[in-house]
Protein backbone atom coordinates (compact mmCIF):
# COMPACT_ATOMS: atom_id res chain seq x y z
CA UNK A 1 0.00 0.00 0.00
CA UNK A 2 1.48 3.36 -1.01
CA UNK A 3 1.51 6.13 1.53
CA UNK A 4 1.41 9.68 0.20
CA UNK A 5 3.86 12.16 1.70
CA UNK A 6 2.59 13.78 4.86
CA UNK A 7 1.35 17.29 4.27
CA UNK A 8 1.22 19.60 7.28
CA UNK A 9 0.23 23.23 7.02
CA UNK A 10 2.90 25.21 8.85
CA UNK A 11 2.12 28.81 9.67
CA UNK A 12 4.30 31.25 7.80
CA UNK A 13 4.02 34.22 10.11
CA UNK A 14 6.62 36.83 9.19
CA UNK A 15 7.70 38.44 12.45
CA UNK A 16 8.53 42.09 12.78
CA UNK A 17 12.10 41.86 13.99
CA UNK A 18 12.63 45.59 14.27
CA UNK A 19 11.86 46.71 17.83
CA UNK A 20 8.92 48.92 18.67
CA UNK A 21 8.49 50.83 21.91
CA UNK A 22 5.70 52.01 24.18
CA UNK A 23 6.24 54.72 26.77
CA UNK A 24 3.44 54.70 29.32
CA UNK A 25 3.16 57.93 31.33
CA UNK A 26 1.01 56.82 34.23
CA UNK A 27 -0.05 58.33 37.53
CA UNK A 28 2.50 56.34 39.50
CA UNK A 29 5.20 55.33 37.03
CA UNK A 30 6.72 56.28 33.71
CA UNK A 31 7.69 53.11 31.88
CA UNK A 32 9.49 52.22 28.67
CA UNK A 33 8.85 48.78 27.19
CA UNK A 34 10.56 47.70 23.96
CA UNK A 35 9.14 44.76 22.03
CA UNK A 36 10.44 42.65 19.14
CA UNK A 37 9.36 39.48 17.39
CA UNK A 38 6.12 38.10 16.00
CA UNK A 39 3.27 40.66 16.11
CA UNK A 40 0.83 38.37 17.97
CA UNK A 41 3.33 37.49 20.70
CA UNK A 42 6.01 40.17 20.80
CA UNK A 43 8.88 39.57 23.19
CA UNK A 44 9.87 42.21 25.71
CA UNK A 45 13.54 42.97 25.12
CA UNK A 46 13.74 45.96 27.47
CA UNK A 47 11.56 47.11 30.35
CA UNK A 48 12.27 49.97 32.72
CA UNK A 49 10.09 52.08 34.95
CA UNK A 50 10.66 55.19 37.01
CA UNK A 51 8.28 55.85 39.89
CA UNK A 52 7.71 59.54 39.24
CA UNK A 53 4.48 59.73 41.25
CA UNK A 54 2.82 62.21 38.89
CA UNK A 55 -0.59 61.56 40.43
CA UNK A 56 0.49 61.75 44.07
CA UNK A 57 -0.64 65.36 44.53
CA UNK A 58 -3.66 65.19 42.25
CA UNK A 59 -6.31 64.53 44.92
CA UNK A 60 -5.05 67.38 47.11
CA UNK A 61 -4.09 70.09 44.59
CA UNK A 62 -5.48 68.97 41.24
CA UNK A 63 -2.01 69.55 39.77
CA UNK A 64 1.12 67.61 38.92
CA UNK A 65 3.83 68.41 41.45
CA UNK A 66 6.99 70.07 40.09
CA UNK A 67 9.36 67.44 41.51
CA UNK A 68 7.25 64.62 40.01
CA UNK A 69 7.36 66.34 36.63
CA UNK A 70 11.13 66.63 36.78
CA UNK A 71 11.53 62.94 37.59
CA UNK A 72 9.27 62.06 34.69
CA UNK A 73 11.11 64.35 32.28
CA UNK A 74 14.49 62.95 33.34
CA UNK A 75 13.17 59.46 32.58
CA UNK A 76 11.88 60.60 29.19
CA UNK A 77 15.29 62.04 28.27
CA UNK A 78 16.94 58.74 29.15
CA UNK A 79 14.31 56.77 27.25
CA UNK A 80 14.84 58.93 24.16
CA UNK A 81 18.54 58.11 24.10
CA UNK A 82 17.90 54.41 24.64
CA UNK A 83 15.32 53.97 21.89
CA UNK A 84 17.62 55.79 19.49
CA UNK A 85 20.49 53.44 20.29
CA UNK A 86 18.16 50.42 20.03
CA UNK A 87 17.08 51.58 16.56
CA UNK A 88 13.42 51.37 17.50
CA UNK A 89 11.33 51.68 14.35
CA UNK A 90 8.26 53.15 16.04
CA UNK A 91 7.46 54.61 19.44
CA UNK A 92 4.04 55.17 20.98
CA UNK A 93 3.81 57.51 23.94
CA UNK A 94 0.58 57.37 25.91
CA UNK A 95 -0.51 59.34 28.95
CA UNK A 96 -3.33 58.30 31.25
CA UNK A 97 -5.19 59.63 34.29
CA UNK A 98 -2.61 62.00 35.82
CA UNK A 99 -1.94 63.97 32.63
CA UNK A 100 -5.60 63.66 31.63
CA UNK A 101 -7.04 65.09 34.84
CA UNK A 102 -4.44 67.54 36.12
CA UNK A 103 -4.98 71.28 35.65
CA UNK A 104 -1.40 71.61 34.43
CA UNK A 105 -1.46 68.34 32.49
CA UNK A 106 -1.33 69.97 29.07
CA UNK A 107 1.61 72.17 30.06
CA UNK A 108 3.45 69.07 31.22
CA UNK A 109 2.71 67.34 27.92
CA UNK A 110 4.11 70.37 26.07
CA UNK A 111 7.40 69.73 27.85
CA UNK A 112 7.24 66.12 26.67
CA UNK A 113 6.65 67.35 23.10
CA UNK A 114 9.66 69.62 23.38
CA UNK A 115 11.78 66.47 23.82
CA UNK A 116 10.62 65.23 20.41
CA UNK A 117 7.83 62.90 21.51
CA UNK A 118 4.18 62.94 20.43
CA UNK A 119 2.20 61.89 23.53
CA UNK A 120 -1.37 60.73 23.12
CA UNK A 121 -3.75 61.26 26.03
CA UNK A 122 -5.93 58.19 26.42
CA UNK A 123 -9.49 58.82 27.58
CA UNK A 124 -10.76 56.92 30.60
CA UNK A 125 -13.16 54.89 28.48
CA UNK A 126 -10.45 54.06 25.93
CA UNK A 127 -8.07 53.12 28.72
CA UNK A 128 -10.63 50.54 29.86
CA UNK A 129 -10.99 49.23 26.30
CA UNK A 130 -7.24 48.88 25.88
CA UNK A 131 -6.87 47.18 29.27
CA UNK A 132 -9.63 44.76 28.25
CA UNK A 133 -7.93 44.06 24.94
CA UNK A 134 -4.69 43.48 26.81
CA UNK A 135 -6.42 40.83 28.91
CA UNK A 136 -7.87 39.23 25.78
CA UNK A 137 -4.43 39.25 24.19
CA UNK A 138 -3.05 37.14 27.02
CA UNK A 139 -6.21 35.21 27.98
CA UNK A 140 -8.25 34.88 24.74
CA UNK A 141 -11.02 32.91 26.46
CA UNK A 142 -11.59 35.58 29.14
CA UNK A 143 -15.28 36.05 29.99
CA UNK A 144 -16.26 38.45 32.75
CA UNK A 145 -15.14 41.82 34.10
CA UNK A 146 -11.62 43.23 34.00
CA UNK A 147 -10.33 45.85 36.39
CA UNK A 148 -7.19 47.88 35.70
CA UNK A 149 -6.02 49.57 38.90
CA UNK A 150 -3.49 52.35 38.43
CA UNK A 151 -2.26 55.25 40.49
CA UNK A 152 -4.92 57.69 39.34
CA UNK A 153 -7.89 55.63 38.23
CA UNK A 154 -9.65 52.29 38.09
CA UNK A 155 -10.96 51.10 34.74
CA UNK A 156 -13.65 48.43 34.56
CA UNK A 157 -14.70 46.67 31.36
CA UNK A 158 -16.71 43.67 30.32
CA UNK A 159 -14.97 41.14 28.07
CA UNK A 160 -16.37 38.13 26.29
CA UNK A 161 -16.39 36.45 22.92
CA UNK A 162 -13.00 37.95 22.18
CA UNK A 163 -14.31 41.53 22.48
CA UNK A 164 -14.52 44.38 24.96
CA UNK A 165 -18.19 45.24 25.30
CA UNK A 166 -18.31 48.29 27.58
CA UNK A 167 -15.98 50.17 29.90
CA UNK A 168 -15.93 52.89 32.56
CA UNK A 169 -13.19 54.85 34.34
CA UNK A 170 -13.42 55.75 38.04
CA UNK A 171 -11.22 58.06 40.17
CA UNK A 172 -10.19 55.20 42.45
CA UNK A 173 -6.46 54.90 41.81
CA UNK A 174 -4.22 53.89 44.70
CA UNK A 175 -2.57 57.32 44.88
CA UNK A 176 -5.92 59.12 44.98
CA UNK A 177 -7.25 56.88 47.71
CA UNK A 178 -4.17 57.31 49.84
CA UNK A 179 -4.06 55.72 53.28
CA UNK A 180 -7.29 53.72 53.69
CA UNK A 181 -9.61 54.58 56.56
CA UNK A 182 -13.32 54.23 57.23
CA UNK A 183 -14.10 57.35 55.20
CA UNK A 184 -12.08 56.11 52.23
CA UNK A 185 -13.69 52.68 52.52
CA UNK A 186 -17.18 54.21 52.40
CA UNK A 187 -16.27 56.45 49.45
CA UNK A 188 -14.75 53.61 47.43
CA UNK A 189 -17.72 51.33 48.04
CA UNK A 190 -20.26 54.06 47.13
CA UNK A 191 -18.39 55.13 43.97
CA UNK A 192 -18.00 51.56 42.83
CA UNK A 193 -21.60 50.59 43.56
CA UNK A 194 -22.96 53.60 41.68
CA UNK A 195 -20.81 52.94 38.61
CA UNK A 196 -21.67 49.26 38.52
CA UNK A 197 -25.39 50.03 38.75
CA UNK A 198 -25.35 52.82 36.15
CA UNK A 199 -23.34 50.88 33.58
CA UNK A 200 -24.95 47.51 34.17
CA UNK A 201 -21.53 46.00 34.81
CA UNK A 202 -22.67 44.92 38.26
CA UNK A 203 -25.38 42.59 37.01
CA UNK A 204 -23.23 41.50 34.07
CA UNK A 205 -20.24 40.67 36.26
CA UNK A 206 -21.85 39.11 39.30
CA UNK A 207 -20.73 35.53 39.79
CA UNK A 208 -18.34 35.62 36.83
CA UNK A 209 -14.52 35.78 36.80
CA UNK A 210 -12.86 39.09 37.63
CA UNK A 211 -9.54 39.79 35.90
CA UNK A 212 -7.02 41.85 37.84
CA UNK A 213 -4.69 44.20 35.93
CA UNK A 214 -2.09 46.51 37.42
CA UNK A 215 1.12 46.33 39.42
CA UNK A 216 -0.46 46.76 42.84
CA UNK A 217 -2.87 43.89 42.28
CA UNK A 218 -0.07 41.70 40.92
CA UNK A 219 1.81 42.46 44.12
CA UNK A 220 -1.19 41.26 46.14
CA UNK A 221 -1.19 38.10 44.06
CA UNK A 222 2.48 37.53 44.87
CA UNK A 223 1.63 37.85 48.54
CA UNK A 224 -1.12 35.32 48.05
CA UNK A 225 1.31 32.95 46.32
CA UNK A 226 3.57 33.21 49.35
CA UNK A 227 0.75 32.94 51.90
CA UNK A 228 -0.65 29.80 50.29
CA UNK A 229 2.78 28.30 49.51
CA UNK A 230 1.74 27.90 45.88
CA UNK A 231 4.34 25.77 44.08
CA UNK A 232 4.49 27.72 40.81
CA UNK A 233 5.37 31.43 41.29
CA UNK A 234 3.77 32.70 38.07
CA UNK A 235 1.19 35.45 38.53
CA UNK A 236 -0.29 35.46 35.00
CA UNK A 237 -3.57 33.52 35.06
CA UNK A 238 -3.09 32.76 38.74
CA UNK A 239 -6.56 32.34 40.28
CA UNK A 240 -7.26 33.72 43.75
CA UNK A 241 -10.32 32.71 45.72
CA UNK A 242 -12.90 35.53 46.09
CA UNK A 243 -12.41 35.44 49.86
CA UNK A 244 -8.66 35.84 49.57
CA UNK A 245 -8.57 39.67 49.82
CA UNK A 246 -9.95 39.39 53.34
CA UNK A 247 -7.36 36.75 54.21
CA UNK A 248 -4.63 39.07 52.94
CA UNK A 249 -5.59 41.76 55.49
CA UNK A 250 -3.29 40.40 58.20
CA UNK A 251 -0.46 39.85 55.73
CA UNK A 252 -0.66 43.43 54.49
CA UNK A 253 -0.69 44.83 58.03
CA UNK A 254 2.49 42.94 58.78
CA UNK A 255 4.21 44.80 55.94
CA UNK A 256 4.33 47.94 58.10
CA UNK A 257 6.99 46.25 60.20
CA UNK A 258 8.55 44.11 57.48
CA UNK A 259 11.88 44.83 55.83
CA UNK A 260 11.08 45.13 52.10
CA UNK A 261 14.38 43.42 51.29
CA UNK A 262 13.11 40.32 53.05
CA UNK A 263 10.35 39.96 50.44
CA UNK A 264 12.17 39.56 47.12
CA UNK A 265 9.01 39.64 45.01
CA UNK A 266 8.00 43.11 46.25
CA UNK A 267 9.72 46.46 45.83
CA UNK A 268 9.80 49.04 48.60
CA UNK A 269 7.98 51.53 46.37
CA UNK A 270 5.09 49.13 45.80
CA UNK A 271 4.40 48.30 49.44
CA UNK A 272 2.68 51.63 50.33
CA UNK A 273 0.08 51.09 47.57
CA UNK A 274 -1.00 47.65 48.81
CA UNK A 275 -3.54 48.72 51.46
CA UNK A 276 -5.42 50.85 48.92
CA UNK A 277 -5.19 48.09 46.34
CA UNK A 278 -6.62 45.61 48.82
CA UNK A 279 -9.40 48.04 49.76
CA UNK A 280 -10.52 48.38 46.13
CA UNK A 281 -10.25 44.66 45.49
CA UNK A 282 -12.24 43.85 48.63
CA UNK A 283 -14.98 46.30 47.54
CA UNK A 284 -15.12 44.71 44.09
CA UNK A 285 -15.29 41.22 45.60
CA UNK A 286 -18.16 42.36 47.86
CA UNK A 287 -20.11 43.96 45.01
CA UNK A 288 -19.55 41.42 42.22
CA UNK A 289 -19.07 38.26 44.28
CA UNK A 290 -16.91 36.90 41.45
CA UNK A 291 -16.48 33.21 40.81
CA UNK A 292 -12.72 33.74 40.96
CA UNK A 293 -10.09 36.45 40.82
CA UNK A 294 -7.69 35.91 37.91
CA UNK A 295 -4.46 37.86 37.49
CA UNK A 296 -3.45 39.21 34.08
CA UNK A 297 0.10 40.38 33.48
CA UNK A 298 -1.13 41.93 30.23
CA UNK A 299 -2.77 45.34 30.35
CA UNK A 300 -2.94 48.62 28.48
CA UNK A 301 0.46 48.34 26.76
CA UNK A 302 -0.28 44.89 25.37
CA UNK A 303 -3.76 46.18 24.56
CA UNK A 304 -2.21 48.90 22.40
CA UNK A 305 -0.33 46.27 20.40
CA UNK A 306 -3.35 43.96 20.17
CA UNK A 307 -5.60 46.88 19.15
CA UNK A 308 -3.48 47.41 16.04
CA UNK A 309 -3.52 43.80 14.86
CA UNK A 310 -5.65 42.64 11.97
CA UNK A 311 -8.65 40.44 12.70
CA UNK A 312 -6.75 37.44 11.36
CA UNK A 313 -3.75 38.11 13.60
CA UNK A 314 -5.95 38.47 16.67
CA UNK A 315 -7.28 34.95 16.14
CA UNK A 316 -3.82 33.41 16.40
CA UNK A 317 -3.24 31.41 19.57
CA UNK A 318 -0.73 33.33 21.76
CA UNK A 319 0.65 30.20 23.42
CA UNK A 320 1.23 28.38 20.14
CA UNK A 321 2.66 31.44 18.41
CA UNK A 322 5.11 32.04 21.27
CA UNK A 323 6.10 28.36 21.37
CA UNK A 324 6.53 28.35 17.60
CA UNK A 325 8.72 31.44 17.80
CA UNK A 326 10.84 29.88 20.57
CA UNK A 327 11.15 26.63 18.65
CA UNK A 328 12.16 28.48 15.52
CA UNK A 329 14.93 30.29 17.34
CA UNK A 330 16.35 27.37 19.34
CA UNK A 331 15.97 24.32 17.08
CA UNK A 332 18.94 22.63 15.42
CA UNK A 333 17.77 22.18 11.86
CA UNK A 334 14.68 24.37 11.64
CA UNK A 335 11.45 24.24 13.60
CA UNK A 336 9.22 21.29 12.67
CA UNK A 337 6.99 21.02 15.73
CA UNK A 338 3.79 21.09 13.68
CA UNK A 339 4.98 18.05 11.74
CA UNK A 340 6.07 16.22 14.90
CA UNK A 341 2.65 16.82 16.43
CA UNK A 342 0.92 15.52 13.29
CA UNK A 343 3.19 12.44 13.41
CA UNK A 344 2.30 11.47 17.01
CA UNK A 345 -1.35 12.61 16.89
CA UNK A 346 -2.76 9.33 15.41
CA UNK A 347 -1.95 7.40 18.59
CA UNK A 348 -3.80 9.84 20.86
CA UNK A 349 -7.47 10.78 21.22
CA UNK A 350 -6.94 14.09 22.97
CA UNK A 351 -9.76 16.62 23.40
CA UNK A 352 -9.05 20.04 21.83
CA UNK A 353 -7.72 21.70 24.98
CA UNK A 354 -5.20 18.89 25.48
CA UNK A 355 -4.32 18.66 21.78
CA UNK A 356 -3.39 22.34 21.96
CA UNK A 357 -0.98 21.69 24.85
CA UNK A 358 0.45 18.70 23.00
CA UNK A 359 1.17 20.90 19.99
CA UNK A 360 2.83 23.50 22.20
CA UNK A 361 5.08 20.79 23.64
CA UNK A 362 5.98 19.57 20.16
CA UNK A 363 6.85 23.09 19.07
CA UNK A 364 9.33 23.15 21.99
CA UNK A 365 10.65 19.63 21.41
CA UNK A 366 14.11 20.77 20.29
CA UNK A 367 14.70 23.79 22.50
CA UNK A 368 17.14 22.17 24.95
CA UNK A 369 19.62 20.62 22.54
CA UNK A 370 22.32 23.18 23.37
CA UNK A 371 22.35 22.15 27.03
CA UNK A 372 24.60 19.39 28.33
CA UNK A 373 22.86 16.04 27.70
CA UNK A 374 22.61 15.41 31.43
CA UNK A 375 20.64 18.62 31.93
CA UNK A 376 18.40 18.80 28.86
CA UNK A 377 15.39 17.53 30.77
CA UNK A 378 15.91 20.24 33.39
CA UNK A 379 16.21 22.88 30.66
CA UNK A 380 12.96 21.79 29.05
CA UNK A 381 11.23 21.65 32.43
CA UNK A 382 12.41 25.14 33.32
CA UNK A 383 11.28 26.59 30.00
CA UNK A 384 7.80 25.09 30.29
CA UNK A 385 7.18 26.05 33.91
CA UNK A 386 8.80 29.48 34.03
CA UNK A 387 8.77 30.68 30.43
CA UNK A 388 7.00 33.94 29.66
CA UNK A 389 3.95 32.18 28.22
CA UNK A 390 0.40 33.51 28.10
CA UNK A 391 -2.80 31.80 27.11
CA UNK A 392 -2.03 28.92 29.48
CA UNK A 393 -2.85 28.29 33.14
CA UNK A 394 -0.70 26.53 35.73
CA UNK A 395 -2.00 22.98 35.03
CA UNK A 396 -1.37 23.57 31.32
CA UNK A 397 2.21 24.62 32.03
CA UNK A 398 2.71 21.48 34.09
CA UNK A 399 1.41 19.22 31.31
CA UNK A 400 3.80 20.84 28.81
CA UNK A 401 6.59 20.48 31.36
CA UNK A 402 5.80 16.79 31.86
CA UNK A 403 5.88 16.20 28.10
CA UNK A 404 9.24 17.97 27.70
CA UNK A 405 10.67 16.23 30.76
CA UNK A 406 9.90 12.84 29.16
CA UNK A 407 10.96 14.03 25.71
CA UNK A 408 14.41 15.00 26.97
CA UNK A 409 14.91 11.76 28.89
CA UNK A 410 13.83 12.81 32.37
CA UNK A 411 11.35 9.98 32.74
CA UNK A 412 7.62 9.77 33.35
CA UNK A 413 7.50 11.49 36.77
CA UNK A 414 8.25 15.14 37.42
CA UNK A 415 10.90 15.73 40.09
CA UNK A 416 8.82 18.25 42.06
CA UNK A 417 5.77 16.48 43.48
CA UNK A 418 4.16 19.76 44.58
CA UNK A 419 4.24 21.08 41.03
CA UNK A 420 3.01 17.75 39.69
CA UNK A 421 0.05 17.94 42.08
CA UNK A 422 -1.36 20.85 40.07
CA UNK A 423 -2.49 18.23 37.52
CA UNK A 424 -4.41 15.01 37.87
CA UNK A 425 -2.61 11.68 37.58
CA UNK A 426 -4.39 11.06 34.27
CA UNK A 427 -3.21 14.39 32.85
CA UNK A 428 0.38 13.73 33.91
CA UNK A 429 0.32 10.25 32.42
CA UNK A 430 -1.08 11.51 29.14
CA UNK A 431 1.57 14.26 28.93
CA UNK A 432 4.33 11.74 29.71
CA UNK A 433 3.11 9.61 26.79
CA UNK A 434 3.27 12.67 24.54
CA UNK A 435 6.87 13.11 25.62
CA UNK A 436 7.80 9.49 24.93
CA UNK A 437 6.22 9.71 21.47
CA UNK A 438 8.03 12.99 20.79
CA UNK A 439 11.29 11.39 21.95
CA UNK A 440 10.78 8.55 19.50
CA UNK A 441 10.03 10.91 16.63
CA UNK A 442 13.05 13.09 17.34
CA UNK A 443 15.41 10.06 17.45
CA UNK A 444 13.93 8.44 14.34
CA UNK A 445 14.25 11.63 12.32
CA UNK A 446 17.50 12.92 13.79
CA UNK A 447 15.71 16.16 14.57
CA UNK A 448 14.86 16.71 10.90
CA UNK A 449 11.52 16.88 9.15
CA UNK A 450 12.12 14.53 6.21
CA UNK A 451 11.77 11.17 7.96
CA UNK A 452 8.69 12.31 9.86
CA UNK A 453 7.06 13.37 6.60
CA UNK A 454 7.68 9.96 5.00
CA UNK A 455 6.88 7.63 7.91
CA UNK A 456 3.77 6.79 9.89
CA UNK A 457 3.01 6.04 13.54
CA UNK A 458 -0.32 4.44 14.40
CA UNK A 459 -1.98 2.43 17.13
CA UNK A 460 -4.84 -0.04 17.10
CA UNK A 461 -5.91 -3.45 18.39
CA UNK A 462 -3.19 -3.44 21.00
CA UNK A 463 -0.38 -2.85 18.50
CA UNK A 464 1.82 0.21 18.06
CA UNK A 465 2.88 0.35 14.41
CA UNK A 466 5.74 2.20 12.77
CA UNK A 467 5.63 2.24 8.98
CA UNK A 468 8.79 3.22 7.09
CA UNK A 469 9.33 3.73 3.35
CA UNK A 470 11.22 0.98 1.51
CA UNK A 471 14.86 1.81 1.17
CA UNK A 472 14.91 3.64 4.51
CA UNK A 473 14.62 0.63 6.81
CA UNK A 474 18.05 1.42 8.24
CA UNK A 475 16.50 4.38 10.05
CA UNK A 476 15.21 1.82 12.55
CA UNK A 477 18.41 1.58 14.56
CA UNK A 478 19.00 0.23 18.06
CA UNK A 479 18.21 3.49 19.84
CA UNK A 480 15.02 3.91 17.82
CA UNK A 481 14.04 0.33 18.71
CA UNK A 482 14.51 1.01 22.43
CA UNK A 483 12.40 4.15 22.34
CA UNK A 484 9.73 2.48 20.20
CA UNK A 485 9.43 -0.44 22.63
CA UNK A 486 9.39 1.86 25.64
CA UNK A 487 6.51 3.89 24.17
CA UNK A 488 4.61 0.70 23.29
CA UNK A 489 5.05 -0.66 26.81
CA UNK A 490 3.80 2.61 28.30
CA UNK A 491 0.73 2.33 26.07
CA UNK A 492 0.26 -1.35 26.96
CA UNK A 493 0.82 -2.33 23.32
CA UNK A 494 2.94 -4.74 21.32
CA UNK A 495 5.15 -3.42 18.50
CA UNK A 496 5.13 -3.85 14.76
CA UNK A 497 7.45 -2.32 12.15
CA UNK A 498 6.40 -2.43 8.50
CA UNK A 499 7.45 -0.85 5.22
CA UNK A 500 5.60 0.49 2.21
Amino acid sequence: MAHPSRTVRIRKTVPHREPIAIIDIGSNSVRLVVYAGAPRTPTIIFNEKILAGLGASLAETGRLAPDAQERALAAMRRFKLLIGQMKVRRTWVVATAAARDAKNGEAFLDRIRALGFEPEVISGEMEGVLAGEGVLSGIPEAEGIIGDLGGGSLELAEVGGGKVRRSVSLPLGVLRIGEPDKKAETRVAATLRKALDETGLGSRGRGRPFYMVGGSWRALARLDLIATDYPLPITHQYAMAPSRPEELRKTIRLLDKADPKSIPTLTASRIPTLPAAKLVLSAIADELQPSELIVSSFGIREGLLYHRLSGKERLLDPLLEAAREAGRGLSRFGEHGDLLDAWIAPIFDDPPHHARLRLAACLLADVAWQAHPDFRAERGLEMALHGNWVGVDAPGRVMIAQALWANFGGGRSLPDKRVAALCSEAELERAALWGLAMRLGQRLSGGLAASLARSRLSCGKGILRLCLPKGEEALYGETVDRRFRRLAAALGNKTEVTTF
Side-chain angles (χ1 to χ4, degrees):
M1 176 180 176
H3 286 247
S5 296
R6 181 180 298 276
T7 300
V8 177
R9 183 172 297 176
I10 300 177
R11 193 176 302 285
K12 299 294 185 179
T13 300
V14 179
H16 294 162
R17 296 293 175 186
E18 302 86 354
I20 60 174
I22 294 176
I23 299 177
D24 183 0
I25 304 173
S27 299
N28 196 25
S29 65
V30 178
R31 185 188 292 267
L32 166 65
V33 185
V34 183
Y35 301 86
R40 180 61 182 89
T41 54
T43 300
I44 294 176
I45 60 174
F46 185 79
N47 187 345
E48 180 174 298
K49 71 175 179 180
I50 303 297
L51 291 168
L54 284 170
S57 60
L58 205 58
E60 184 177 349
T61 69
R63 302 176 65 84
L64 307 178
D67 59 337
Q69 292 187 56
E70 294 307 321
R71 286 196 297 272
L73 289 166
M76 295 296 289
R77 294 186 189 100
R78 169 175 162 76
F79 293 166
K80 184 174 179 62
L81 290 173
L82 288 175
I83 61 178
Q85 293 167 6
M86 293 178 189
K87 301 187 185 306
V88 170
R89 67 182 178 88
R90 183 169 182 179
T91 301
W92 289 303
V93 181
V94 295
T96 53
R100 184 172 67 229
D101 298 341
K103 296 175 183 177
N104 58 344
E106 190 60 32
F108 168 69
L109 292 175
D110 283 340
R111 299 181 70 185
I112 298 292
R113 295 182 184 103
L115 298 177
F117 293 109
E118 297 179 5
E120 177 184 357
V121 179
I122 304 295
S123 70
E125 181 180 2
M126 189 60 185
E127 193 174 349
V129 170
L130 292 174
E133 292 193 330
V135 171
L136 290 172
S137 176
I139 312 175
E141 72 279 9
E143 294 271 349
I145 303 296
I146 72 100
D148 184 2
L149 180 65
S153 62
L154 167 69
E155 278 69 47
L156 299 173
E158 182 186 6
V159 295
K163 297 180 180 180
V164 182
R165 293 173 178 157
R166 66 191 78 182
S167 71
V168 64
S169 180
L170 306 175
L172 296 179
V174 292
L175 295 180
R176 288 192 177 183
I177 292 171
E179 189 66 28
D181 52 24
K182 284 294 183 182
K183 184 177 179 181
E185 187 175 340
T186 301
R187 177 170 61 86
V188 168
T191 302
L192 182 63
R193 186 178 303 112
K194 180 180 179 183
L196 291 174
D197 289 343
E198 290 180 349
T199 61
L201 289 174
S203 59
R204 297 287 298 168
R206 196 157 290 117
R208 300 171 71 192
F210 181 78
Y211 299 88
M212 303 158 53
V213 179
S216 295
W217 278 346
R218 284 195 300 274
L220 285 183
R222 290 191 203 94
L223 283 175
D224 196 57
L225 286 166
I226 294 171
T228 59
D229 196 26
Y230 195 73
L232 192 58
I234 304 294
T235 55
H236 183 71
Q237 280 193 244
Y238 173 65
M240 297 168 59
S243 61
R244 190 69 64 196
E246 290 302 318
E247 295 177 19
L248 284 174
R249 189 185 301 273
K250 294 180 181 178
T251 304
I252 294 172
R253 285 176 178 170
L254 291 175
L255 290 175
D256 294 336
K257 300 179 180 180
D259 178 3
K261 295 180 181 179
S262 69
I263 308 174
T265 55
L266 292 179
T267 61
S269 59
R270 182 65 69 186
I271 289 176
T273 70
L274 297 186
K278 192 276 302 181
L279 170 62
V280 177
L281 188 58
S282 296
I284 287 172
D286 289 342
E287 288 296 325
L288 293 181
Q289 299 179 15
S291 57
E292 55 189 334
L293 304 173
I294 301 174
V295 182
S296 171
S297 62
F298 277 22
I300 183 174
R301 291 180 295 275
E302 291 74 22
L304 280 165
L305 299 175
Y306 187 74
H307 189 72
R308 288 166 169 80
L309 294 179
S310 67
K312 183 177 180 180
E313 287 174 319
R314 288 188 179 205
L315 292 176
L316 296 176
D317 187 312
L319 171 63
L320 298 182
E321 291 304 300
R324 186 171 286 113
E325 182 78 355
R328 184 182 294 117
L330 296 173
S331 62
R332 291 166 290 177
F333 306 115
E335 185 270 311
H336 61 277
D338 293 277
L339 185 56
L340 178 60
D341 180 67
W343 191 79
I344 71 172
I347 70 172
F348 297 110
D349 57 349
D350 296 313
H353 66 287
H354 280 170
R356 172 178 177 264
L357 298 176
R358 188 190 68 219
L359 174 55
C362 286
L363 292 169
L364 298 172
D366 208 25
V367 295
W369 72 270
Q370 291 178 321
H372 187 282
D374 292 345
F375 299 100
R376 286 175 182 163
E378 285 81 359
R379 177 72 63 83
L381 182 71
E382 172 70 17
M383 175 165 277
L385 291 180
H386 303 131
N388 192 25
W389 314 116
V390 295
V392 62
D393 58 12
R397 283 176 180 263
V398 174
M399 288 190 74
I400 296 172
Q402 174 69 84
L404 293 181
W405 178 255
N407 171 64
F408 290 117
R412 294 170 65 181
S413 298
L414 290 176
D416 189 330
K417 301 303 180 186
R418 294 173 62 249
V419 168
L422 296 175
C423 286
S424 68
E425 288 294 331
E427 288 172 330
L428 291 172
E429 177 62 19
R430 176 50 59 103
L433 292 174
W434 298 341
L436 293 178
M438 291 157 56
R439 186 169 172 80
L440 169 64
Q442 290 290 79
R443 177 55 61 181
L444 174 72
S445 66
L448 296 162
S451 295
L452 293 177
R454 292 197 291 267
S455 62
R456 293 291 184 276
L457 187 67
S458 62
C459 185
K461 297 183 178 180
I463 298 175
L464 181 65
R465 295 180 179 84
L466 177 62
C467 189
L468 299 170
K470 288 183 179 179
E472 297 186 15
E473 295 90 342
L475 284 173
Y476 192 80
E478 291 184 6
T479 306
V480 174
D481 178 67
R482 285 197 299 271
R483 294 188 181 182
F484 184 48
R485 292 183 183 280
R486 186 178 182 189
L487 174 61
L491 291 167
N493 285 185
K494 297 180 179 180
T495 61
E496 180 179 287
V497 180
T498 62
T499 59
F500 63 91

